[in-house]
Amino acid sequence: MTDAVGSIDMPDAEDEAPESKKKTRKGGKRAKKGPLGRLALFYRQIVAELRKVVWPTRNQLTTYTTVVIIFVVIMIGMVTGIDFGFQEAVKYVFG
């Protein structure tokens, strides 16, 4: 059985490299930095990820907030109605 890269039984040419030629890394970038360096790297990565975020416009944010508030009010009403119904049923059964 073959795929686009090669055979399952036959490894790719890149995989056939002897183990002695492969460089081993111990720790990578983290080993070279102290705790403050790692913390600074973490902060820079957070800022870089936040720059990728597509933030909603004010109009979209208002719409989303309104939809959430309306949904929560409807759910509160449903739970209150069900709770009141159970309360009346327990009063009827027990007394």
Side-chain angles (χ1 to χ4, degrees), residues 11-29:
D12 296 336
E14 297 174 38
D15 295 340
E16 292 177 2
E19 294 296 324
S20 62
K21 289 185 180 179
K22 292 184 179 180
K23 292 183 180 179
T24 58
R25 291 175 49 179
K26 293 184 180 179
K29 292 181 181 178

Side-chain angles (χ1 to χ4, degrees), residues 33-46:
K33 297 181 180 181
L36 291 177
R38 289 194 305 253
L39 188 62
L41 174 65
F42 180 66
Y43 177 73
R44 283 194 305 270
Q45 289 174 344
I46 289 173

Side-chain angles (χ1 to χ4, degrees), residues 44-56:
R44 283 194 305 270
Q45 289 174 344
I46 289 173
V47 171
E49 287 298 320
L50 285 175
R51 286 187 178 145
K52 295 177 188 177
V53 174
V54 179
W55 297 99

Side-chain angles (χ1 to χ4, degrees), residues 69-81:
I69 290 173
I70 290 172
F71 177 78
V72 168
V73 167
I74 290 171
M75 292 307 294
I76 289 172
M78 288 176 56
V79 170
T80 302

